[in-house]
Amino acid sequence: MIAKIQEIIEQQIRPALQSDGGDIELIDVEDGIVKVRLVGACSHCPSSAMTLYQGVEKMLMEKVPEVKGIEQVW
């Protein structure tokens, strides 16, 4: 499951974030909760919560049924 999540992040999510000056790091997956760190422009962007939950979380939950949610770590 971690490999699939990492692949989705690298191929679909990261390019979009990098085009806006940000990035995302996969930290861990624990009991279906994906832990990520937003970096660069995304780390302090006022829209980062919307990006994280309505973008990243939604995509991961659709493509990897075992994903129950997402959590941002600092």
Side-chain angles (χ1 to χ4, degrees):
M1 176 172 69
I2 292 175
K4 176 112 175 128
I5 292 168
Q6 185 67 43
E7 179 182 337
I8 293 166
I9 287 174
E10 289 178 11
Q11 295 180 358
Q12 298 177 29
I13 298 168
R14 181 169 283 139
L17 295 179
Q18 287 178 337
S19 72
D20 287 333
D23 205 348
I24 187 169
E25 298 173 353
L26 176 62
I27 304 301
D28 196 10
V29 179
E30 227 176 78
D31 298 322
I33 304 298
V34 179
K35 297 182 180 190
V36 298
R37 178 178 295 127
L38 295 176
V39 295
C42 291
S43 64
H44 295 95
C45 175
S47 300
S48 65
M50 185 167 60
T51 298
L52 188 63
Y53 296 105
Q54 294 180 1
V56 178
E57 180 180 59
K58 183 177 178 185
M59 180 181 289
L60 289 176
M61 289 177 78
E62 287 175 1
K63 296 183 178 282
V64 185
E66 298 87 0
V67 172
K68 296 176 185 173
I70 197 162
E71 181 180 311
Q72 184 173 0
V73 296
W74 304 95

